Amino acid sequence: EKTLKKLTNRSKDESNVAQARLALGNIYLSKSDTTKAIKEIALAAANKKDANTAADAFLALGDIYYDSK
């Protein structure tokens, strides 16, 4: 978790940052911290350089919202 946080702050490669944010979001989900998970996954979804990661992030957000209903 600490390594991923560092990567999101230091990396200049937006694709790597998006993947790290998605991974962090998944870690927070596994810890049942949906607020932090949604924040990180939403930031990953906003990435315009890596469409695959953004699509995975949108899918994860959809799953979170669906499961909360």
Side-chain angles (χ1 to χ4, degrees):
E1 184 177 345
K2 287 182 181 182
T3 304
L4 289 172
K5 285 182 183 179
K6 286 179 185 177
L7 181 62
T8 62
N9 293 329
R10 293 183 183 168
S11 180
K12 296 190 190 299
D13 184 4
E14 289 182 36
S15 177
N16 287 341
V17 171
Q19 290 173 5
R21 290 197 182 280
L22 183 57
L24 269 174
N26 288 327
I27 290 170
Y28 290 136
L29 276 179
S30 70
K31 294 179 177 181
S32 299
D33 189 347
T34 54
T35 304
K36 285 184 180 180
I38 290 171
K39 177 185 170 195
E40 292 297 336
I41 295 171
L43 288 170
N47 184 315
K48 297 191 180 4
K49 298 229 175 187
D50 187 353
N52 290 332
T53 302
D56 289 340
F58 279 117
L59 183 61
L61 286 172
D63 287 342
I64 293 168
Y65 290 122
Y66 182 79
D67 290 341
S68 71
K69 298 276 176 179

